[in-house]
Amino acid sequence: MMRTKHCYTLKFDPAGDSALTMLSRLISRGATVLELGPATGYFTKYLTEDLGCTVDCVEISAEMAAQASRFARDVWVTDVDEVRLADRFPSGAYDYVIAADVLEHLRDPWRLVQQVRDVLAPTGKLLVSIPNVTHSALLAELVSGSFDYRDEGLLDRTHLRFFTRRTAIELLRHGGFRIDEFEQVERLPEHTEFKSMLERLPRAVADFLAQAPEARTYQFVAAATPGIMSDAEVESLVAASVRTEPQFRLVVLWADVDELFTEERSKSAFASLGAERQLVRFEISRPGQIRRIRIDPSDRPGFFHVFALRVYRKSRASDDHELVWEAKSADEIVRQTHLNNVLHLPSTLGGAFLSTTTDPWFTITLPESVAQASSTFVVEIELDWPMSADFILVRDTLVSRVDALEVALRNSGDLVGKLEGTIAAERRQLEQVRSDFERVDEEAVTRQSEIMALGMQLQRSEIIRRLRKVETDKLRQAIASSESASAALRMQLQRSEIIRRLRKVETDKLRQIIASSESANAALREELGDREEKAGHLESVLREKGEILARREREMEGLRQQRDQSAGELEAMRSRLAASECDAKRLSETLMQEQAALADLARLAESSLAFRTLVAFRRTRDRFVPVGTTRRRLYDSTVRAASRLRGTRLRVLTDALESRLRLWSMRSNWR
């Protein structure tokens, strides 16, 4: 879709005759809808609020999309010429996809129609409306040398594609759709944006365009489902185009008293050729006064009837109309209007008018009292259609021939009536003869049936006699056989009696056996009950023993685990003990080495200490102590101090060695 700054703000009328109104009648309540090009959402609002539909939208204009988003579930702001619908919307999710006046805005509408199938449900529908480029008003503009684009309408300035009836059908067929419904929105040229363009053309050209196929079709409206259309179906839809019936044009012009009639103040309408009585209505208005109204009742020479002319003034406050001028017959029209290029023939064709040129007219002058400024008037013309002299001649000739044929038909009818009476009498006689013949025939049939019945009775009696003889022989044989059978039965009865007595004896024995077996069974049942009780007790004891055994097994399993754990710990302790013994050996060796080192150290300490003491003493003595007794005392005290120092050093070393031995002993005990 081409980008545009124009904002489409229409008002949707569900009771109108627009393309959207026709599309709305095809949509079910509560449906899921994808609307392409919703503009400001005027139709989206109706779908959601009135029909209860769920609507998603695709709109190129962010400004219009913001307004439509108030009524939609999701709005995608994008150009459908550049994207794929399946990229945003799920497959088969929509009951309807609407493209109302959208396809003509696209560079490639065929691609979009094909994409719609991806998001449409299998039974969903594509609903489209497409402008018709062959509307007579647009063709009139083209013939006039103009092709001016507008903000809206058939020549919207954003239209990139133009369609006729055939190309619109081919568009849907190419996209893989089968058209179920194909309708038209019709607009008269004067009700389109082109208004009076058709009136500016020569009369022959305007008539040709006005009567062309699809001359009034403003838009095509179609409903299509996924499928295939044959060539025959396409041609059938194309051939069903709306062809305008033969028409003639009427024109109304208006002006003030001192003004001339001009095309700028005029309106035209078309009426049907061949209609015996039709009403054409014009609504006219202007800022100034309207005192004169000119009516052009025909666009060709010929005979026509005008049954009435009426002028109403429309109320400004309501839709009421006030009748301000009226002529209810041809005579009143002649008296109250001014005729130009029109002759009144009161004795011809029941008071017909004759148009001598292609531009006849009546001029009405309104009273000054009703000619108010800025008034709106409604002009009504009740007439038939302009008939040529040739047509009237042919019609009159045919009428005379039809009258003669009707007289002949009536005479023939009388003759036929007489003949029908004669035929009816003959038919009644024939019916009487036929009834007599049928009665005789019935009597003959009755007699013949009686004879046949007697013969059959004789045959039946002979057969019965023979059957009785055969039955008698059979009865004798049956009696003989029955006697022998009776003897056999007696023997069987005797045998049965003996068997019955034997069976009685056997029955008594069986009863005794059954009684004894029942007593034995009772004893066995009691014993079985005792044994079942014992078995239950044993089962409970066994269950308890089993539980104890299971508990013992669990305890044994725990003891085994503890034994295995203790064995592992014992093995670890053995390995630690071996390591401790090795450590003890190494420690004893180290201890011996340390004792020897200590002895050496003690000796060295003694020698070094005594030596250092003597040296110090000598130095001190030489420097501070006077020679004599004092020097001796100082020497003795120094020797004693050295002895004490040596003893203290040895005790420190001994204490350290004993501490290490105690530590080794404690470590050995722990391991």
Side-chain angles (χ1 to χ4, degrees):
M1 286 179 286
M2 238 184 116
R3 297 192 177 274
T4 176
K5 294 183 180 179
H6 179 68
C7 187
Y8 296 88
T9 55
L10 303 178
K11 185 177 181 181
F12 174 69
D13 181 11
D17 59 350
S18 67
L20 285 179
T21 303
M22 297 175 70
L23 291 177
S24 67
R25 296 175 185 141
L26 303 174
I27 300 173
S28 303
R29 290 186 174 273
T32 304
V33 179
L34 175 61
E35 185 181 7
L36 306 177
T40 54
Y42 42 84
F43 189 49
T44 314
K45 179 181 179 182
Y46 173 77
L47 293 176
T48 55
E49 295 182 356
D50 291 52
L51 296 185
C53 296
T54 302
V55 185
D56 295 334
C57 299
V58 181
E59 173 57 49
I60 189 172
S61 170
E63 178 185 356
M64 291 190 287
Q67 299 184 53
S69 63
R70 296 175 297 167
F71 315 108
R73 178 180 64 179
D74 182 23
V75 177
W76 189 14
V77 182
T78 187
D79 185 351
V80 294
D81 261 329
E82 305 294 338
V83 298
R84 293 186 59 84
L85 297 178
D87 294 341
R88 177 69 173 253
F89 304 109
S91 175
Y94 297 98
D95 301 314
Y96 301 95
V97 175
I98 301 174
D101 293 346
V102 170
L103 300 176
E104 64 275 10
H105 296 264
L106 304 181
R107 295 190 300 274
D108 191 358
W110 300 272
R111 173 179 173 271
L112 176 64
V113 174
Q114 290 175 344
Q115 288 186 48
V116 168
R117 297 188 62 182
D118 298 334
V119 299
L120 197 62
T123 58
K125 288 188 176 183
L126 170 61
L127 306 180
V128 301
S129 63
I130 303 173
N132 173 35
V133 74
T134 62
H135 191 280
S136 59
L138 192 154
L139 295 178
E141 173 147 324
L142 186 61
V143 170
S144 300
S146 300
F147 202 76
D148 297 330
Y149 285 100
R150 296 161 171 82
D151 288 334
E152 297 179 13
L154 296 179
L155 289 182
D156 188 309
R157 65 183 73 258
T158 61
H159 284 185
L160 301 179
R161 302 289 178 181
F162 298 92
F163 295 92
T164 64
R165 184 183 184 91
R166 178 181 289 277
T167 56
I169 294 170
E170 289 290 350
L171 169 65
L172 298 177
R173 181 194 188 189
H174 181 271
F177 282 89
R178 179 185 182 86
I179 298 176
D180 298 326
E181 298 185 41
F182 198 86
E183 302 294 337
Q184 296 81 221
V185 177
E186 294 190 0
R187 292 285 183 272
L188 291 172
E190 57 268 24
H191 296 159
T192 68
E193 63 272 19
F194 304 98
K195 299 190 183 303
S196 60
M197 187 60 66
L198 199 65
E199 300 172 358
R200 301 175 186 175
L201 298 177
R203 186 64 54 86
V205 177
D207 292 345
F208 174 78
L209 294 179
Q211 297 177 17
E214 309 295 348
R216 297 184 186 177
T217 299
Y218 193 78
Q219 290 163 293
F220 300 111
V221 177
T225 51
I228 299 174
M229 288 184 67
S230 64
D231 294 339
E233 291 172 327
V234 171
E235 293 302 326
S236 175
L237 280 176
V238 172
S241 61
V242 177
R243 294 187 176 274
T244 308
E245 61 185 359
Q247 297 174 326
F248 66 99
R249 186 168 67 166
L250 296 87
V251 181
V252 169
L253 303 92
W254 57 93
D256 204 348
V257 175
D258 55 350
E259 291 179 337
L260 298 176
F261 293 110
T262 62
E263 293 289 339
E264 287 75 16
R265 295 191 299 272
S266 67
K267 279 191 175 182
S268 64
F270 289 89
S272 299
L273 290 173
E276 295 296 333
R277 198 178 188 104
Q278 52 192 324
L279 181 66
V280 182
R281 181 180 288 109
F282 297 89
E283 185 173 308
I284 60 176
S285 63
R286 61 171 299 188
Q289 288 187 348
I290 298 177
R291 288 290 307 280
R292 293 191 304 149
I293 299 174
R294 169 180 155 180
I295 301 172
D296 297 1
S298 176
D299 59 357
R300 67 200 67 195
F303 297 88
F304 62 93
H305 294 84
V306 179
F307 304 107
L309 291 177
R310 286 180 288 270
V311 179
Y312 297 90
R313 184 170 56 191
K314 189 175 181 181
S315 173
R316 298 178 183 178
S318 64
D319 293 335
D320 295 337
H321 292 54
E322 176 189 359
L323 182 64
V324 297
W325 189 92
E326 181 181 22
K328 296 184 289 185
S329 65
D331 294 336
E332 291 184 6
I333 292 172
V334 172
R335 288 196 302 269
Q336 300 183 36
T337 65
H338 174 70
L339 279 61
N340 193 304
N341 297 330
V342 180
L343 297 177
H344 180 227
L345 306 175
S347 60
T348 304
L349 302 175
F353 291 94
L354 172 62
S355 171
T356 58
T357 67
T358 59
D359 191 21
W361 74 77
F362 305 109
T363 302
I364 301 173
T365 301
L366 297 178
E368 187 176 358
S369 59
V370 301
Q372 301 175 1
S374 303
S375 296
T376 300
F377 294 94
V378 176
V379 180
E380 288 186 352
I381 308 166
E382 192 172 351
L383 74 169
D384 55 3
W385 56 286
M387 298 169 281
S388 65
D390 295 338
F391 173 80
I392 295 175
L393 178 61
V394 172
R395 187 189 66 176
D396 292 343
T397 304
L398 291 177
V399 167
S400 61
R401 290 186 179 180
V402 168
D403 292 340
L405 290 173
E406 287 180 352
V407 172
L409 183 60
R410 283 196 296 272
N411 296 331
S412 300
D414 296 338
L415 181 59
V416 168
K418 293 178 181 180
L419 291 174
E420 285 179 351
T422 305
I423 292 171
E426 295 289 338
R427 186 177 290 117
R428 286 194 295 273
Q429 292 180 1
L430 181 61
E431 291 293 334
Q432 184 65 33
V433 173
R434 183 180 297 166
S435 61
D436 294 340
F437 177 77
E438 288 177 354
R439 186 175 63 257
V440 172
D441 190 23
E442 289 176 358
E443 291 178 357
V445 170
T446 304
R447 297 288 176 85
Q448 186 176 0
S449 60
E450 290 176 354
I451 293 170
M452 291 178 66
L454 289 173
M456 291 178 67
Q457 287 179 359
L458 290 174
Q459 292 177 359
R460 190 180 298 112
S461 58
E462 180 66 21
I463 292 170
I464 291 171
R465 186 182 63 78
R466 293 179 181 177
L467 288 174
R468 285 178 178 174
K469 182 179 180 182
V470 173
E471 288 176 355
T472 302
D473 296 338
K474 288 182 178 180
L475 285 172
R476 289 173 183 160
Q477 293 175 1
I479 291 169
S481 60
S482 63
E483 289 178 352
S484 59
S486 299
L489 285 172
R490 289 191 200 95
M491 293 179 65
Q492 288 180 0
L493 288 172
Q494 293 175 359
R495 191 180 298 114
S496 299
E497 182 65 21
I498 294 169
I499 292 170
R500 186 182 63 77
R501 292 176 181 176
L502 291 173
R503 285 181 178 174
K504 184 177 180 182
V505 173
E506 291 176 355
T507 301
D508 295 337
K509 290 181 179 180
L510 285 173
R511 285 175 182 162
Q512 294 175 0
I513 293 170
I514 289 169
S516 61
S517 63
E518 286 179 352
S519 60
N521 287 335
L524 288 173
R525 288 192 193 94
E526 292 178 358
E527 184 178 357
L528 181 60
D530 295 338
R531 290 187 179 182
E532 286 178 352
E533 185 177 357
K534 291 179 180 179
H537 178 68
L538 289 174
E539 284 180 358
S540 62
V541 172
L542 287 174
R543 193 178 299 109
E544 293 176 357
K545 297 291 184 181
E547 292 176 356
I548 295 170
L549 181 60
R551 189 164 56 252
R552 294 287 174 83
E553 287 180 353
R554 288 194 296 272
E555 292 176 356
M556 288 297 294
E557 184 65 26
L559 291 174
R560 289 192 194 96
Q561 293 177 359
Q562 292 178 3
R563 183 194 66 187
D564 295 340
Q565 186 177 0
S566 300
E569 293 177 354
L570 180 60
E571 186 65 27
M573 291 177 66
R574 286 175 180 170
S575 61
R576 288 196 296 271
L577 181 59
S580 299
E581 290 176 354
C582 293
D583 293 340
K585 289 179 181 180
R586 285 194 299 273
L587 188 59
S588 62
E589 293 175 357
T590 304
L591 182 60
M592 292 175 65
Q593 292 175 0
E594 289 181 354
Q595 287 176 352
L598 287 173
D600 295 339
L601 183 61
R603 288 192 297 272
L604 180 59
E606 290 177 358
S607 60
S608 61
L609 181 61
F611 177 74
R612 285 194 299 273
T613 305
L614 289 175
V615 171
F617 174 72
R618 287 175 182 171
R619 289 176 179 174
T620 306
R621 183 194 63 189
D622 293 340
R623 294 175 64 181
F624 301 103
V625 180
V627 180
T629 306
T630 306
R631 182 179 294 179
R632 170 60 66 180
R633 285 196 300 271
L634 182 59
Y635 174 78
D636 293 337
S637 61
T638 302
V639 170
R640 285 193 299 273
S643 298
R644 285 196 301 273
L645 182 62
R646 184 172 62 248
T648 303
R649 179 67 175 171
L650 288 175
R651 281 196 303 274
V652 170
L653 293 174
T654 303
D655 292 340
L657 181 60
E658 287 177 355
S659 298
R660 185 169 294 186
L661 287 173
R662 283 195 301 271
L663 180 61
W664 174 82
S665 177
M666 289 172 63
R667 187 183 298 172
S668 300
N669 291 333
W670 178 77
R671 290 180 179 177

